Amino acid sequence: MRKTNKLTTLSVKRMSKPGLFGDGDGLYLQVAAGGTKAWILRYMRAGRARKMGLGPFPILSLVEARQKAFEGRRSLLRGIDPIDARNAARTEAVAQAAKAFTFAECGKAYIAAHRSGWRNEKHREQWSNTLVRYAFPVIGILSVAAVDTALVLKVLEPIWNSKPETASRLRGRIEAILDWAKARGYRDGENPARWRGHLDKLLPAKGKVSTVQHHKAIPYRELPSFMARLRSRAEISAQALEFTILTAARTGETLGAVPHEFDLDRRIWTIPAGRMKASREHRVPLCDRAIEIIGLQKHNYKFAFPGAKLDASLSNMAMLEMLRGMVGIGLTVHGFRSAFMDWGHEVTNYPKEMMDIALAHTVSDKVEAAYRRGDMFDKRRQLMADWQRYCFSKVDV
């Protein structure tokens, strides 16, 4: 009587009674109550009985089932459990499929995951724009697992010397995306976009390929005559620019200001942390003219300096265009903060620490930051009053 190959293709087709029907050497046909049939390999492993599904009949024929059972038994002879081997193969297949994610797909996923934590829409747009313009055309369609140093350099080198600031930011964004992909299991190994100990050996430092371009500032001695001209203009952009100068604020801080941030009785403008570059609340003592400018605005608008629509702020370019119309191309709105600092150093005895607080500068020195816990607010009232007095002085000094 045969101990193997007990079944035939005809007998397998005809079987309808539920149960297990052996073919020999651990191969069985399992017939379910509903009539479906499947192949099973039964074996002992470390004293434990195991069953391994091989596939359904008739998709898997009797001949094919015998071949699969043979391969399973051969694995056992090599000391390998066929079920464990199959599970490992499936896991590897899933991992390889995950690594098939393209760099562009990972970049978009990274932006989607982090955009809510970025402070403003301009920052979000810059993230997308630099990737779309410079990285995606080169490595966007490639598997994120395939991105290596040569490919990163292929993205960066064409703009490293001509656009060092953009290139440096792009490098950091590529590095962040690749770190994210590794944490997700989409790639392995070191990050080819890291700077320290890697790309710093292949590319010149940003500071060596370009001179830092500071925001061009009006000389503080010319400020009184400029302010006299500015004050004569009636446009809301002129009022916003004057307010920005008098408060030493950044453009975005002024444009994003909403009425409830102002306590005109206490003469305070409180800018919430979410709108500040350093993510810390900033209090600004308001001088007389700053309070007057806020009082001139229509408070039924969402923003203190509204644009054309009720729910929109003044354009991000409005003050710069106003400035260009008055003095031509060259000066920047941000440059007035430099003029404020120069005036403070050259004309007054106010300490640098107070000037830095007025400008909401981040303190990089940890020791200094530990001691600077207050915001010198009462003393800064006098500082801003003196700044207004100088801005509106009759004669340039």
Side-chain angles (χ1 to χ4, degrees):
M1 187 175 182
R2 293 184 302 175
K3 294 183 179 180
T4 59
N5 297 344
K6 298 177 183 178
L7 302 175
T8 65
T9 300
L10 183 59
S11 66
V12 169
K13 288 181 178 179
R14 290 178 174 176
M15 284 180 184
S16 59
K17 182 180 179 181
L20 281 174
F21 303 91
D23 183 60
D25 289 334
L27 177 62
Y28 289 84
L29 178 71
Q30 179 175 272
V31 181
T36 57
K37 303 170 185 178
W39 299 105
I40 291 175
L41 175 63
R42 301 179 70 179
Y43 60 92
M44 298 294 293
R45 179 71 174 167
R48 184 162 61 101
R50 304 204 74 181
K51 292 196 306 182
M52 176 182 180
L54 301 178
F57 177 86
I59 294 177
L60 195 69
S61 70
L62 174 59
V63 173
E64 291 169 330
R66 285 171 178 165
Q67 179 60 35
K68 279 184 169 286
F70 173 75
E71 292 168 359
R73 292 193 300 272
R74 218 164 51 164
S75 292
L76 288 167
L77 283 175
R78 295 197 302 268
I80 300 172
D81 190 311
I83 292 179
D84 294 343
R86 184 176 62 183
N87 291 341
R90 287 174 176 172
T91 300
E92 177 64 19
V94 171
Q96 291 302 319
K99 290 178 180 179
F101 273 90
T102 66
F103 179 82
E105 289 171 334
C106 289
K108 293 172 184 176
Y110 179 93
I111 292 172
H114 291 83
R115 67 184 300 118
S116 62
W118 291 333
R119 285 189 295 271
N120 55 61
E121 187 60 35
K122 183 178 180 181
H123 182 69
R124 300 184 191 108
E125 290 177 357
Q126 288 174 338
W127 252 88
S128 296
N129 291 344
T130 52
L131 292 172
V132 168
R133 183 171 182 179
Y134 300 110
F136 290 173
V138 180
I139 59 176
I141 63 172
L142 301 179
S143 166
V144 73
V147 176
D148 58 13
T149 301
L151 288 169
V152 172
L153 289 173
K154 190 175 181 180
V155 174
L156 297 178
E157 284 180 328
I159 60 171
W160 193 259
N161 292 318
S162 60
K163 300 178 180 179
E165 185 65 34
T166 299
S168 179
R169 291 179 181 178
L170 177 61
R171 183 210 62 77
R173 288 163 186 169
I174 294 173
E175 181 181 18
I177 292 168
L178 295 180
D179 278 343
W180 178 89
K182 182 177 180 179
R184 287 278 184 170
Y186 301 157
R187 62 175 285 119
D188 302 307
E190 295 294 329
N191 193 320
R194 71 187 186 281
W195 178 251
R196 191 179 299 276
H198 185 55
L199 290 184
D200 62 345
K201 310 302 181 187
L202 303 173
L203 295 168
K206 181 181 68 172
K208 293 184 178 180
V209 296
S210 69
T211 301
V212 176
Q213 298 296 314
H214 295 287
H215 298 281
K216 190 173 181 181
I218 187 171
Y220 75 89
R221 294 179 183 276
E222 299 176 12
L223 191 59
S225 60
F226 173 82
M227 292 296 281
R229 293 169 55 202
L230 180 63
R231 195 168 182 178
S232 69
R233 304 182 71 116
E235 301 99 317
I236 190 171
S237 56
Q239 295 171 1
L241 178 56
E242 185 182 357
F243 177 85
T244 301
I245 296 170
L246 291 172
T247 56
R250 296 180 177 90
T251 297
E253 293 162 6
T254 295
L255 297 182
V258 292
H260 68 74
E261 293 176 358
F262 297 94
D263 185 338
L264 298 185
D265 293 332
R266 297 173 60 205
R267 305 167 69 86
I268 299 174
W269 175 26
T270 303
I271 311 174
R275 293 208 306 107
M276 293 300 298
K277 184 176 181 179
S279 298
R280 293 182 60 183
E281 181 183 274
H282 181 55
R283 296 194 303 165
V284 181
L286 297 173
C287 63
D288 292 340
R289 176 57 179 165
I291 290 175
E292 182 182 347
I293 292 172
I294 293 300
L296 291 173
Q297 308 311 310
K298 297 178 181 179
H299 293 286
N300 59 324
Y301 285 80
K302 178 179 178 180
F303 293 94
F305 296 97
K309 298 180 180 180
L310 281 171
D311 60 348
S313 69
L314 201 62
S315 164
N316 193 49
M317 291 293 293
M319 289 191 287
L320 181 58
E321 290 173 355
M322 166 66 63
L323 182 60
R324 287 174 175 173
M326 294 178 65
V327 298
I329 296 175
L331 298 181
T332 66
V333 176
H334 196 91
F336 287 101
R337 287 165 56 85
S338 298
F340 171 77
M341 181 64 88
D342 292 342
W343 164 80
H345 290 332
E346 299 290 336
V347 179
T348 80
N349 293 318
Y350 289 111
K352 177 181 181 299
E353 291 79 5
M354 188 184 299
M355 302 296 295
D356 282 333
I357 293 174
L359 291 166
H361 281 165
T362 301
V363 180
S364 57
D365 188 291
K366 293 183 179 179
V367 176
E368 182 184 351
Y371 281 98
R372 191 195 293 179
R373 298 185 184 279
D375 64 358
M376 306 174 78
F377 188 78
D378 292 334
K379 294 181 179 180
R380 283 195 291 120
R381 278 198 182 282
Q382 187 59 49
L383 168 65
M384 302 315 291
D386 288 346
W387 173 236
Q388 175 191 253
R389 190 176 299 110
Y390 175 77
C391 287
F392 297 141
S393 56
K394 298 296 183 182
V395 180
D396 295 352
V397 293

